[in-house]
Amino acid sequence: MKIIILGAGQVGATLAEHLAREENDITVVDTDGAKLRELHTKLDIRTVTGAASYPIVLRQAGCEDADMLIAVTNTDEVNMIACQVAHTLFRTPTKIARVRSTAYLTRKGLFAHEAIPIDVLISPEQVVTDHVRRLIEHPGALQVLEFAGGLVQLVAVKAFYGGPLVGQDLVFLAKHMPNVETRVAAIYRRNRPIIPRGDTVIEADDEVFFLAARRDIRAVMSELRRVERDFRRVVIAGGGNIGERLAEHLEHSHQVKIIEHSLERCTTLSERLDRTVVLHGSATSKRLLEEENIEDCDIFCALTNDDEVNIMSSLLAKRLGAKKVLTLINNAAYVDLVQGGDIDIAISPQQATIGSLLTHVRRGDIVNVHSLRRGAAEAIEAIAHGDKQSSKVVGRTIADIHLPEGTTIGAIVRGKEVIIGHGDVVVESGDHVILFVIDKRRIREVERLFQVGLTFF
């Protein structure tokens, strides 16, 4: 595919890296020549220096014959105008834009074909808010991803010493929990992936990714680690868009406090939120955290725009007795450094957003893509179409499908029914197939599996 990416910031650069690996024709546009030179050297892709919404710059970038435009500059208005220009002057088939401001997102009809022609809107704040919310709903999880409208969840947990399944092989899981359908999709041991088989033994500190129907998630988690009680008391550092949205979602079921350093923003938050306690002050203030009894807090969520504030306030909260800390970190290089020590969960907003973007870049009928382990692996939800003659998957058992190396089918959703991916399950047309791909270089092969041959038409 010929793809133009507008914006060489964290999201744009990470996306270019993902897509360049998969042999796409990538051009990145930005006003910062130094950033572009660095990207060009690292990825050997085409770059254009200039204002992303200018017609002459888009023409230079090759917009006349591009398959897709992805506008992820730091300015909503530039992203919106660039999509308008690409549509009006160049008839670019697919236009994706990152739009942050709720002032635009809440206006119905604004992003229609006859108004501002954006095919796919990405709101990073909403993506990250949903990500954090799911982690709060599943105490003990490192990552919680949803498929098929939430019927199936993929959960990553760290196996704890003394867990019932630790030291046992995976066959034992099926015997031990005969009434629960689950599938271990992958195991990461000392940062190396292991393809799970029946005789694979789970060790303490393994990062285990498993798929199950939403109703069975808690039961499976309890086999891998000590059951943690539900989070009730939540402290949020940072009252920006993400902090506000999270508080809004949790305040009727949890006790929520927000710490915000801007007095003006505190006033706005106190007017908009019903039950949340809004505190004016610094999240790195030891006195403030002690006064607010941080030791009684179930989870402390550091969600400001400043990585250093997030890291330091999380470390301080943990030192003062907060049971769990979750930290938002924009600099991807920091994520692996801090997670797993005093900081329980580190979230990269770029990686959370990349999955939403990749969903629309993948070929075949791909409805969901989640980036895992900072982009090292992917979980994909694809819809099977066709018949046995035109499709490489329909009408075949999972055991007979020629999956690329390092790829497993974890589950199939047929209507409202969740079917765990055992070898004798036959794939039918219309099935939602959930795959786990450890080797990102195999993504194209996975896409080709779900593309229908011409005989079907």
Side-chain angles (χ1 to χ4, degrees):
M1 291 176 82
K2 184 170 183 181
I3 302 169
I4 297 171
I5 298 171
L6 307 180
Q10 295 263 14
V11 171
T14 309
L15 185 62
E17 197 171 338
H18 275 265
L19 297 176
R21 272 192 236 140
E22 296 162 22
E23 295 172 12
N24 293 290
D25 179 358
I26 306 295
T27 303
V28 178
V29 178
D30 200 282
T31 50
D32 188 332
K35 271 186 187 173
L36 292 177
R37 279 191 295 278
E38 190 182 329
L39 264 181
H40 175 72
T41 306
K42 185 180 174 187
L43 302 175
D44 193 25
I45 56 174
R46 190 164 169 262
T47 61
V48 173
T49 307
S53 58
Y54 287 6
I56 191 166
V57 174
L58 290 175
R59 188 184 296 279
Q60 272 180 279
C63 212
E64 287 168 313
D65 58 349
D67 299 301
M68 184 179 288
L69 180 87
I70 303 175
V72 286
T73 75
N74 289 325
T75 310
D76 288 352
E77 291 76 13
V78 170
N79 295 339
M80 289 153 60
I81 293 297
C83 289
Q84 181 75 67
V85 171
H87 171 76
T88 306
L89 297 184
F90 306 113
R91 296 291 169 202
T92 306
T94 305
K95 298 160 293 298
I96 299 174
R98 175 172 68 177
V99 178
R100 285 193 165 107
S101 175
T102 49
Y104 294 124
L105 296 170
T106 51
R107 307 302 296 182
K108 283 187 179 172
L110 182 61
F111 298 105
H113 200 66
E114 64 282 357
I116 301 175
I118 296 173
D119 302 296
V120 182
L121 274 170
I122 302 289
S123 168
E125 281 85 358
Q126 192 57 53
V127 171
V128 173
T129 304
D130 291 342
H131 190 71
V132 175
R133 174 183 55 78
R134 287 194 295 268
L135 288 167
I136 289 172
E137 288 170 357
H138 295 85
L142 294 173
Q143 201 165 7
V144 181
L145 308 169
E146 292 188 338
F147 299 92
L151 288 172
V152 177
Q153 290 184 325
L154 176 70
V155 177
V157 295
K158 183 169 271 195
F160 267 41
Y161 183 78
L165 197 59
V166 174
Q168 303 282 356
D169 59 26
L170 293 180
V171 170
F172 176 79
L173 179 61
K175 292 176 186 167
H176 189 56
M177 305 179 72
N179 301 320
V180 174
E181 284 282 295
T182 186
R183 174 78 186 267
V184 174
I187 295 170
Y188 279 83
R189 184 171 297 158
R190 292 180 283 278
N191 287 323
R192 293 176 66 88
I194 295 170
I195 303 290
R197 309 191 193 287
D199 59 356
T200 303
V201 175
I202 291 179
E203 296 180 5
D205 288 335
D206 280 357
E207 201 172 315
V208 182
F209 287 82
F210 69 87
L211 274 161
R214 179 197 279 269
R215 64 180 179 274
D216 295 328
I217 291 295
R218 280 289 176 91
V220 183
M221 282 180 70
S222 68
E223 295 300 302
L224 294 164
R225 54 179 297 122
R226 294 185 296 272
V227 179
E228 296 186 22
R229 62 187 178 86
D230 288 346
F231 296 141
R232 281 282 161 253
R233 297 181 183 87
V234 182
V235 175
I236 299 169
N241 288 336
I242 296 172
E244 181 186 354
R245 288 181 191 190
L246 185 63
E248 197 173 16
H249 184 88
L250 297 175
E251 65 179 354
H252 295 287
S253 53
H254 297 72
Q255 294 175 29
V256 183
K257 294 178 180 178
I258 286 185
I259 301 171
E260 169 58 42
H261 69 88
S262 162
L263 185 58
E264 188 183 349
R265 181 66 180 160
C266 283
T267 307
T268 305
L269 289 169
S270 60
E271 289 167 357
R272 289 182 183 171
L273 298 167
D274 298 328
R275 297 185 180 179
T276 300
V277 175
V278 181
L279 303 165
H280 177 235
S282 168
T284 56
S285 164
K286 183 182 177 186
R287 201 183 96 232
L288 176 60
L289 294 181
E290 285 176 333
E291 282 175 359
E292 295 305 322
N293 304 314
I294 196 71
E295 69 276 8
D296 296 331
C297 160
D298 293 318
I299 186 163
F300 177 88
C301 303
L303 307 175
T304 77
N305 289 326
D306 188 314
D307 284 355
E308 282 71 24
V309 169
N310 289 344
I311 292 168
M312 296 313 293
S313 63
S314 296
L315 293 173
L316 182 60
K318 194 66 181 272
R319 188 69 52 86
L320 294 174
K323 292 169 188 68
K324 269 276 168 72
V325 295
L326 178 151
T327 312
L328 192 69
I329 298 180
N330 285 289
N331 187 334
Y334 288 180
V335 176
D336 288 324
L337 284 176
V338 300
Q339 181 165 288
D342 284 339
I343 290 174
D344 300 290
I345 303 166
I347 293 175
S348 161
Q350 288 79 26
Q351 288 300 340
T353 308
I354 289 297
S356 307
L357 290 164
L358 290 175
T359 301
H360 307 286
V361 176
R362 298 276 172 253
R363 295 185 179 93
D365 195 351
I366 307 291
V367 291
N368 243 321
V369 175
H370 290 292
S371 187
L372 306 168
R373 289 195 56 86
R374 271 69 76 195
E378 270 186 25
I380 296 173
E381 178 185 344
I383 302 177
H385 294 290
D387 51 32
K388 197 162 184 179
Q389 282 68 46
S390 61
S391 168
K392 297 183 180 75
V393 295
V394 174
R396 291 168 173 77
T397 64
I398 288 175
D400 289 336
I401 296 170
H402 298 297
L403 291 169
E405 194 179 336
T407 302
T408 54
I409 291 177
I412 287 170
V413 180
R414 188 172 295 156
K416 296 285 181 186
E417 184 188 6
V418 178
I419 304 162
I420 293 302
H422 301 301
D424 57 352
V425 173
V426 178
V427 179
E428 297 179 7
S429 186
D431 282 355
H432 286 239
V433 181
I434 297 155
L435 305 103
F436 196 99
V437 186
I438 281 174
D439 186 349
K440 291 284 297 289
R441 292 169 299 180
R442 305 283 187 178
I443 292 288
R444 281 284 172 259
E445 294 169 53
V446 174
E447 289 174 358
R448 280 196 287 271
L449 273 179
F450 287 87
Q451 288 176 324
V452 180
L454 289 172
T455 53
F456 183 63
F457 302 101

